[in-house]
Structures are given as C-alpha cells and as structure tokens.
Amino acid sequence: MFKIFFRLVFLLLIVILSAVFIFIQFTLPNYEGKIYSDRIRDTITIYRDKFGMPIVKAENETDLAFGIGYAMAQDRLFQMDLIRRAVQGRLSEVLGSALIPTDKFFLTITSGKSLNEMWEAYPEDIKSLIKSFSDGVNHFIKENRLPIEFTLLGYKPELWTPTDSVAVFYYMSFDLNTGYDVEIVHYLIAKQFGLERAKELFPDYLPQKGEILEVTKNQNKKTTNETILTFLEWFYQTREFFGDHEIGASNNWVISPSKSETGTPILASDMHLAFRIPGIWYEAQLITPEYNVSGVLLPGIPFVIVGANENVAWAYTNVMADDIDFYIEQVNPNNPQQYLFRGQYRDFAIEKKIFKTTKDGQTQEEEFFIYKTHRGPIINFIYPIQTEEVFSMRWTAYDHFLSAIGIYIANKAKNIDDLEKATEFFRTPGQNWVYADKDGNIGFTAAVGIPIRIGFSGLLPMPGWNGQYEWIGYVPSNQLPRLRNPAKGWIATANNKHSSKYPYVISNYYHHADRYERIKQVLNSKEKFSIDDIKNLQIDSKALIAEELTPIFLKDLETLDLSQNPLAKQAIESLKNWNYETNKESIASSVFHVMLSKMVYNTFFPHLGEKLYKYYIKKQFIPITALRIFLKNETSFWFDHPQTPQTETRKDVIQKSFLEAIETLKAYSENIQEWKWGKVHMLEYQHPFGRNPLMAKIFNRGPYETQGSFSTVSMMDFPLEKFPYKVRSGVSERLILLPGRIHDSLRIIPSGVSGNPFNEFYADQIRYFLKNQYREFKLYKPEQKEFTYEQKLVIQPINQK
C-alpha cells in the first residue's frame, strides 16, 4: 500500500516538474530554424554569439530593421512594453490602480508634444525603417511564444506601432533629465531661508575644478523667489517604480593616435544608469552591404545608440543640461480655465483622459484633466484648479525630438565630419558626444538644446504672467561647445562643467568633478597609453573626494579622546594609512563613507527638517558638493545647530559624525574586519517583479560585493542615508573602441542580452563584469571562414516558402 502511494506521489511530482519544464521552455525564444514573412524583400539571417548577442545580416536597411525588431522582441519584449506603456500613461491597465499616479505624471509631462506630432515630423527614410522594425516586433508577438511576465500578469501585448518607438526617446529624455525636482527643491529652500542661503546649498560648482574646456569661473547669476509646489512626491514615486533614483551619470574619453600605443585613437565609454535586470542596453550587430555597426541599442529603437562601425566610434555622457523651466501662473479668479499672460487672460488647452482599471471583476473609470499653457502643461495634478500656486512646465523635449536622425547618421558615418553632422540632429536628451575616426581624428560636441534665457538662469521657477522670462530660442549648432583634435591629445567628459566663460546657461547642477579630475590626472600622467591602461582607468576606484576630505577629518579628530574606544582608534589608523582606493577589502572606505553620510545629515538636517532634507538629498551630489565647500572653513551657518545654545563649528560636526559612524559600524559588526567595503557596499540586480520576495528568487540576481563609489571613475552610486549600502546605479556598459583596429576592441554589459530569467543569456555577463573583465568587440563578417556562431535563425520572404 505504502509503495503504491509513494509511486503515485513520485509520478505526480514527475508530471508537475515536467509541466513546469515545458512551460518554461515555451517562454524561451527559438534562436534557430527558419521562418517566413510577407513584410520583407530578401533573406534575413540572425546569428547569435556565445553571449546570445544577435548579429543581424540583411541585404537592405528595411529588412535589417525587421530583423533587429524580431530579435529584440525575442529578448526584451516585456521591457519594451513597460517603457511604451509608461510614456503613454497605461501602466495601470496591466499593473493596477496603484500606478495611476505614475500614469498621470507621464500623461502630463508628455502632453506638451504628442507622440503623433513627433512621428509626423520624421523624414520618410527614418519612418520606413521604424515601420519595418515594428513589423519585425509584431511578427514575434503573433507567434505567441511570449516572455513569462505576460503569462504572470495575464495579458497579451498589443502590436507594436512606430509611435511606440518614439515613446522610447521620450522616456530617455525624462530618465536623463536633471531639472524636474532640483528647481522646485531650490525654491522650497529659498522660501524658508532666503535666496543667499539657498544659493549656498546649490553651489554652481567646485571652483576651478573639472571644466571640459578648462577656463575660468563666471559668477554672474540671477535668481528669483516665487511659490511652493507639491509636485515632488509624484516625481519621486515615478522614479522609484523604474529604479531611477538619481540622474544618470557617465564617463567617456578619447585619446589621439599620438597618445596611443596602438597607433589609432582609443575611445572609452561607460554610461551610468540604474542597475536593473534586464539592463537598459541591448547588444547587437547590424550588417548590410552598406555598413557594419555594433554596440548597444535601446529596447524599442532599431539603431545602435553607442558603438562603432568600420570607420568611426562614438559615445555619450549626460550634459546635465537645465533643459526644463517652471513658471508660476496666475489663474483667473473668476474663471479657473484661464491664465494671465501679458495683461490678458488666455484659455487653458484642456485634455481629458480616462483610466480604466479592474477591481473585483468590475471595470472602473477615472477621469483626469490636463491643463496646458502656451509653454506646456500645468503639473499640479489638481482639477478643478483651486489655488493660485499653479506651475506650468517648459521642456526642450517639446521642440527637439529628432534624435533618431542623428543616431542613424552615426550608424552609417564614414568620418568625423559625418559624426559632427549627426550631432546637429541630437538635442534631447542632451549628450556629450566624443568620437573618433580611423583616420586618427578625435572630437567632442555637446549635442544639446540650450535655451536662450535673457535675465534669468533657470535655477528657480519664474513668474509666467508678465512674459519677461520666455525662452527666445536655442543656441545655434555652430555655437555649441565643441573640440576637434586638441593639442593635448585627449578629450574627456564626465557630467562636468563645460566652461565658466560660455555665454549661455547649460546647467545649474553638474555632477561631482572627481571623475573628470581623476581621468585628467591619469591621461596627463604619461605620453602613451595601451589598451590595458584604458581598461585600468575604466575600473579605477580611487576616490579623490576622500583624498581631499580625509586630512580635514583627521585634523579635527586629533583632540578627540578615544582611549576607551578601541574600534574608533583602529578606524582612525585605517584612515591614516588609506590610499583612497575604494576596493572591496578597504576598511577605511567604509569608515569614510559612513562618516560622510553622518556629516551630510548633521550639517543639513537640523536646519532643513525632515521633509526638506528628504527632498534635498535625493540628488546627493548637490549636498555633497555644498558640504565640500563648507569644509574649507572652520565655521559656517550650516555647521551651527539651530536648537542648541552654543555655536557649533566644523570640528564639532566632524567629531560628532565620526563617533556616530563608529556606532553604526559597530552595530553592524564588532569585528572591524567585517567593515570591509565589499561587505557593506552590495549590488543586487532587481527586476520589476523582484520587489515581491517570492518573485525575487526567480527574477533578481545578487547581492554581490562591489568596489567603487559615487564619485570614482568606476562609479557605483548608493544612497548615503541607508546603511549598509545598496548600489542603485553605476556602470551600464563598458566599451573600448579602436577605429582603425576595430577587432582589438572590447565590450561588456553588467547582466545579459535576454530579459527572460530562464534564458541562459539573462545574467551570463555578470561574472565577467564583477571581475572587471571584458569580452571581444568584433565587427563579424559571416562570409569569412573564421566566423563562428552558436545559433542561426533565417527569415525568408513568404514567396520563398
């Protein structure tokens, strides 16, 4: 009897496991075989290398776009669907009513220019390629071999449309924007402390540090003080959903043949974005008889965003442009559907949206109204409008949305002239392009739409009713910051300042200058550089901020009595002997960063209070930059605690912060060897489903020990206020590209090509990335005998079936 029972249980278990295995296999794409389509002219071949990267070969560009659409859908369809739904305000349809605020946010900010308006502005050749790409995506969707996320959520994706691809550019313009919250937070602080104090907390930059064009500082700035806004929580909730806690940063640099041991330019790229799985970048190679290009693509876009062809290489960093302004509007007190402009009331343009969600089997509808001025939308999310504190938004993305043209030109470029032509079409999101060609030329252009503002800097919201603070156009292409073949033999950008003498306001909030300064330090250190030298610089973890601040900390800690605190004494010794490398074994790195977090808190929180402090530290490079300036002096208004009778100085704050840091680390472990940086500074790759503890085991990867910090070249950013530290953003790809010797180039992404957790290519590059290793970057040619591949899928016209 028992034998029969156990046999039945065993058989049942076999059936269940078999069913699960079959289900999992059915969610995996088929990378081999032959399929047919009536939307192509000639045969398309999709090869896969040992990392699953598609190598798409076609006889013409439109078929190539179809092929990359099909391959990308195989690997990233769910990610593509989430991005388009986000921009279109449709996440709540599939993820529930909790996402309605996020939908309202995107519907509002994108109402200034519709996706259809953007699409219609594109030239026919670009439209043709994006249409063919959409056909390729849809061919896969119709196969019904869909990723597992769709099964778990119980819906089938709609067919892809060309405007969905336009939505991806809109999303990246939002993702890389620096101005949404900073301008408002600056206002809130100015409201409480006055303009001069607020300016101290939003410093223009660390003086004389890290300017791309290496010139002197200009302090001529004007600001104003207006009113308050509750926009921030909506913004931060949206960022939180996508894991984009802070503005993306990046490094790139290029050296000329005169500084290269290879005899060619060497271009290095590592863009810094949120760590997610799948990552934002999709690797591919695209081949037609006209060109052969490879690099990283955005899911939903059929062009290589950063990479190289046989003639040129190019890469980006975020300009950190102040490409958005807020205006305070005066609403007609007798008619809330009108606003005042230059002495006359104008009607708001009003759009009505309806959200449909299902609850307990019942479909529910919610109306939402978007009000728009001539500049852009009202962002208060209030209907009817019941307050005079009404803000409108002006964004360069409403005027500059043809970036796909620039990327397409770059994909086919033959020389540096073509790349500089490409930058003329690329304005939003603003990016610092560095580039090189096989003839040995190197160059840089800040490809960005820079508003021309007269009489104001854009740092604070301005009165909208008087018409005095309108943008009067954009800086012409020939006046954008640019360099070609500088005598020093190298160009680098790292989200740092372009020039203090530049006549227009590019940004009011650049990133830490340390990464640029470290790159500059290394590139000036010797005459010639090898590929290994460039690799070592990309993974460099020296923290210049620590080199600057640690002596100040140690000086003010000299008088502290630590005779009864042996752990604190050991911590002091670790700081004294530190080489400022933030490697995984460093104890000093942990002591420094925890102490720095306490310094930020003890300096700003007593003055700002809980709410303002929470907003202020969201972009923590701003308070850290302010703190570094204050630390140059022994006294500051911000060091003095407002609720104590005595006057606190720098020494008081440093000593208090150090002792608190030791207590925090001691609570973590009383064994100082457990304070090693890698143990308290961890990276976990999180999938959108990974917020659920049960799903996390399937979809997430990690945590892993990591090196680096928020200001090192090997950037691994984390929120200072949350210990132990969880890395939230950092290196999203590494490329080392050699135009002229392209097959010596290198590449790596932090996770993998696939978005399916059961796919072998979901996380297969993690182990290489964490070991600071690379894989080959080659422009494969399938007709050559040495070309090898792992899988091969052929797509043929239907008439060849």
Side-chain angles (χ1 to χ4, degrees):
M1 185 69 179
F2 286 107
K3 288 184 178 179
I4 295 174
F5 174 76
F6 284 119
R7 285 177 182 174
L8 288 174
V9 171
F10 180 73
L11 288 172
L12 180 61
L13 182 61
I14 293 295
V15 170
I16 292 172
L17 291 175
S18 298
V20 171
F21 177 77
I22 292 170
F23 170 73
I24 290 172
Q25 291 301 307
F26 193 71
T27 71
L28 296 175
N30 189 351
Y31 291 152
E32 296 186 292
K34 185 178 293 186
I35 59 175
Y36 299 88
S37 172
D38 60 357
R39 297 301 182 98
I40 61 175
R41 301 203 309 263
D42 294 297
T43 298
I44 304 167
T45 308
I46 304 175
Y47 304 93
R48 298 273 178 167
D49 71 5
K50 64 181 181 180
F51 292 92
M53 185 187 80
I55 302 153
V56 185
K57 184 177 183 296
E59 299 305 312
N60 58 79
E61 285 188 316
T62 53
D63 285 352
L64 179 71
F66 183 100
I68 190 59
Y70 186 86
M72 192 179 286
Q74 285 184 302
D75 297 316
R76 299 290 186 91
L77 183 60
F78 181 68
Q79 184 182 30
M80 293 163 63
D81 192 57
L82 280 189
I83 291 173
R84 67 170 169 177
R85 282 183 173 276
V87 175
Q88 295 163 2
R90 300 179 58 209
L91 286 171
S92 60
E93 292 178 9
V94 297
L95 298 178
S97 58
L99 270 296
I100 286 179
T102 295
D103 286 343
K104 287 182 177 180
F105 176 88
F106 273 110
L107 283 171
T108 300
I109 68 169
T110 60
S111 65
K113 181 73 69 173
S114 74
L115 294 174
N116 284 329
E117 288 177 298
M118 292 179 169
W119 168 249
E120 290 302 324
Y122 271 100
E124 288 305 316
D125 57 344
I126 299 293
K127 284 184 175 180
S128 175
L129 296 177
I130 295 178
K131 287 177 182 177
S132 186
F133 171 83
S134 300
D135 289 339
V137 174
N138 293 334
H139 193 93
F140 176 76
I141 291 174
K142 292 173 185 178
E143 283 188 349
N144 293 315
R145 199 177 178 94
L146 297 175
I148 190 173
E149 293 95 334
F150 294 106
T151 302
L152 293 174
L153 289 174
Y155 80 98
K156 182 177 179 179
E158 298 171 1
L159 295 181
W160 193 265
T161 68
T163 54
D164 294 336
S165 291
V166 177
V168 176
F169 280 108
Y170 231 146
Y171 173 77
M172 290 308 294
S173 295
F174 158 75
D175 189 42
L176 296 174
N177 180 276
T178 59
Y180 279 107
D181 55 334
V182 173
E183 192 168 320
I184 297 166
V185 174
H186 192 168
Y187 165 74
L188 291 170
I189 292 175
K191 184 79 173 177
Q192 183 166 333
F193 294 95
L195 285 174
E196 292 307 311
R197 288 292 183 210
K199 286 168 66 176
E200 293 175 2
L201 297 193
F202 294 85
D204 173 69
Y205 213 48
L206 287 175
Q208 306 300 325
K209 291 286 187 181
E211 296 184 1
I212 295 170
L213 303 185
E214 308 274 3
V215 290
T216 59
K217 185 176 176 62
N218 173 16
Q219 291 286 1
N220 183 22
K221 291 189 174 295
K222 296 178 69 175
T223 59
T224 188
N225 180 11
E226 297 299 334
T227 163
I228 196 165
L229 187 62
T230 57
F231 173 62
L232 296 173
E233 284 303 320
W234 301 85
F235 171 78
Y236 293 131
Q237 286 177 24
T238 301
R239 286 281 198 203
E240 182 72 24
F241 174 78
F242 286 100
D244 302 326
H245 304 276
E246 187 182 338
I247 176 64
S250 298
N251 303 318
N252 62 27
W253 63 87
V254 61
I255 63 174
S256 67
S258 64
K259 285 191 73 72
S260 168
E261 291 183 2
T262 67
T264 70
I266 304 179
L267 183 147
S269 166
D270 56 290
M271 295 178 282
H272 306 155
L273 293 167
F275 275 111
R276 295 169 287 187
I277 193 163
I280 190 62
W281 300 118
Y282 181 73
E283 291 185 296
Q285 181 182 346
L286 313 179
I287 307 170
T288 73
E290 295 182 351
Y291 60 93
N292 187 348
V293 61
S294 185
V296 294
L297 294 77
L298 279 169
I301 303 295
F303 311 119
V304 171
I305 303 296
V306 166
N309 62 30
E310 294 172 307
N311 305 299
V312 301
W314 70 99
Y316 311 146
T317 67
N318 198 357
V319 168
M320 308 293 286
D322 186 357
D323 58 4
I324 194 167
D325 278 343
F326 294 100
Y327 294 84
I328 301 131
E329 305 292 353
Q330 285 191 4
V331 177
N332 187 343
N334 301 314
N335 182 355
Q337 296 188 356
Q338 292 183 327
Y339 67 101
L340 185 65
F341 183 68
R342 291 178 176 169
Q344 295 184 332
Y345 284 109
R346 293 186 176 189
D347 291 335
F348 286 110
I350 303 175
E351 293 182 13
K352 177 181 176 180
K353 304 290 183 180
I354 297 177
F355 294 104
K356 292 184 178 182
T357 57
T358 302
K359 185 176 182 180
D360 300 327
Q362 300 293 318
T363 300
Q364 298 179 338
E365 292 187 357
E366 178 182 336
E367 292 183 342
F368 175 58
F369 293 85
I370 300 172
Y371 284 57
K372 293 189 292 184
T373 71
H374 64 285
R375 299 185 195 91
I378 299 296
I379 61 168
N380 296 59
F381 301 112
I382 298 172
Y383 178 80
I385 297 174
Q386 297 175 337
T387 172
E388 292 184 2
E389 294 177 349
V390 172
F391 283 63
S392 66
M393 184 180 91
R394 178 81 194 271
W395 189 14
T396 62
Y398 303 148
D399 303 320
H400 296 293
F401 43 81
L402 300 177
S403 296
I405 300 174
I407 296 169
Y408 173 67
I409 293 172
N411 279 218
K412 301 177 67 175
K414 297 185 182 306
N415 52 45
I416 194 173
D417 295 328
D418 291 343
L419 288 172
E420 290 180 346
K421 178 68 175 177
T423 66
E424 295 180 14
F425 293 93
F426 198 107
R427 291 290 179 270
T428 304
Q431 299 293 293
N432 294 305
W433 288 47
V434 300
Y435 37 80
D437 66 21
K438 65 181 182 181
D439 296 324
N441 297 297
I442 66 172
F444 148 77
T445 297
V448 57
I450 303 174
I452 299 177
R453 302 172 172 101
I454 301 298
F456 71 112
S457 69
L459 188 54
L460 287 167
M462 304 300 290
W465 56 86
N466 57 25
Q468 295 179 18
Y469 302 104
E470 303 295 295
W471 296 355
I472 62 170
Y474 289 92
V475 175
S477 295
N478 61 3
Q479 295 181 37
L480 293 174
R482 63 177 68 238
L483 291 169
R484 188 193 272 206
N485 295 328
K488 63 184 179 183
W490 63 268
I491 304 168
T493 79
N495 318 114
N496 53 307
K497 193 166 188 172
H498 297 79
S499 168
S500 295
K501 288 185 176 179
Y502 191 67
Y504 304 102
V505 175
I506 300 176
S507 178
N508 292 292
Y509 21 71
Y510 290 99
H511 218 278
H512 301 285
D514 302 75
R515 286 181 287 114
Y516 177 84
E517 288 295 319
R518 179 59 177 159
I519 294 165
K520 172 184 173 182
Q521 190 180 83
V522 172
L523 293 182
N524 282 338
S525 66
K526 63 179 189 175
E527 293 298 317
K528 298 268 187 181
F529 288 85
S530 67
I531 295 174
D532 283 342
D533 291 329
I534 301 301
K535 287 166 62 176
N536 289 334
L537 181 52
Q538 278 197 328
I539 63 176
D540 186 273
S541 66
K542 185 173 183 177
L544 295 189
I545 183 174
E547 188 174 43
E548 172 189 325
L549 298 186
T550 301
I552 298 173
F553 292 169
L554 290 172
K555 177 178 181 292
D556 283 352
L557 291 173
E558 286 178 350
T559 59
L560 196 60
D561 181 8
L562 301 176
S563 58
Q564 303 302 313
N565 196 335
L567 280 176
K569 291 175 68 175
Q570 291 179 66
I572 291 283
E573 288 305 308
S574 74
L575 290 174
K576 288 180 178 178
N577 297 317
W578 190 22
N579 61 3
Y580 309 114
E581 295 286 344
T582 58
N583 55 57
K584 289 185 284 188
E585 299 301 310
S586 174
I587 293 171
S589 181
S590 301
V591 175
F592 173 82
H593 286 96
V594 179
M595 184 177 172
L596 182 64
S597 74
K598 303 297 183 181
M599 283 289 301
V600 171
Y601 181 88
N602 290 327
T603 302
F604 300 117
F605 184 87
H607 295 275
L608 298 180
E610 184 174 353
K611 189 172 183 180
L612 278 181
Y613 180 76
K614 181 178 98 170
Y615 295 155
Y616 181 55
I617 63 170
K618 287 292 185 179
K619 286 187 171 62
Q620 65 187 28
F621 62 88
I622 293 175
I624 290 172
T625 298
L627 180 64
R628 291 170 77 169
I629 293 173
F630 302 156
L631 284 169
K632 295 182 184 302
N633 300 304
E634 294 185 359
T635 60
S636 167
F637 167 83
W638 300 100
F639 291 145
D640 181 28
H641 197 297
Q643 295 174 350
T644 62
Q646 68 273 19
T647 299
E648 283 83 9
T649 66
R650 181 186 73 189
K651 179 186 286 189
D652 296 314
V653 177
I654 285 177
Q655 292 186 354
K656 174 180 171 64
S657 299
F658 174 73
L659 293 174
E660 290 177 349
I662 298 304
E663 288 305 308
T664 296
L665 287 161
K666 185 178 178 181
Y668 176 76
S669 175
E670 294 195 13
N671 179 1
I672 197 171
Q673 293 305 310
E674 293 297 312
W675 297 5
K676 292 179 179 179
W677 185 233
K679 292 184 178 295
V680 303
H681 181 240
M682 306 285 281
L683 167 61
E684 180 178 17
Y685 296 84
Q686 191 173 76
H687 185 278
F689 285 11
R691 294 179 176 89
N692 181 298
L694 294 177
M695 293 289 192
K697 296 184 181 299
I698 298 173
F699 288 93
N700 292 357
R701 295 293 184 272
Y704 306 102
E705 296 184 5
T706 57
Q707 63 172 27
S709 183
F710 53 78
S711 65
T712 56
V713 176
S714 179
M715 210 270 264
M716 290 286 178
D717 180 59
F718 54 92
L720 270 174
E721 70 273 15
K722 296 178 182 178
F723 180 86
Y725 300 126
K726 293 183 179 180
V727 174
R728 59 186 175 186
S729 64
V731 178
S732 65
E733 49 75 50
R734 285 191 179 118
L735 296 172
I736 299 176
L737 304 171
L738 284 73
R741 283 178 52 179
I742 197 63
H743 294 300
D744 291 329
S745 302
L746 300 167
R747 72 193 313 159
I748 198 71
I749 58 174
S751 52
V753 167
S754 174
N756 190 318
F758 302 113
N759 192 307
E760 63 180 305
F761 306 122
Y762 182 67
D764 59 321
Q765 296 190 51
I766 290 178
R767 63 183 183 274
Y768 299 97
F769 175 75
L770 293 175
K771 293 178 181 178
N772 294 323
Q773 296 175 346
Y774 295 74
R775 65 188 188 89
E776 293 180 332
F777 180 110
K778 291 185 178 295
L779 291 178
Y780 299 107
K781 295 185 177 180
E783 66 274 13
Q784 294 179 341
K785 291 182 179 180
E786 60 268 25
F787 173 67
T788 60
Y789 56 89
E790 300 296 318
Q791 292 99 7
K792 176 181 174 183
L793 177 68
V794 177
I795 310 175
Q796 290 187 319
I798 195 74
N799 59 15
Q800 296 182 17
K801 191 170 183 179

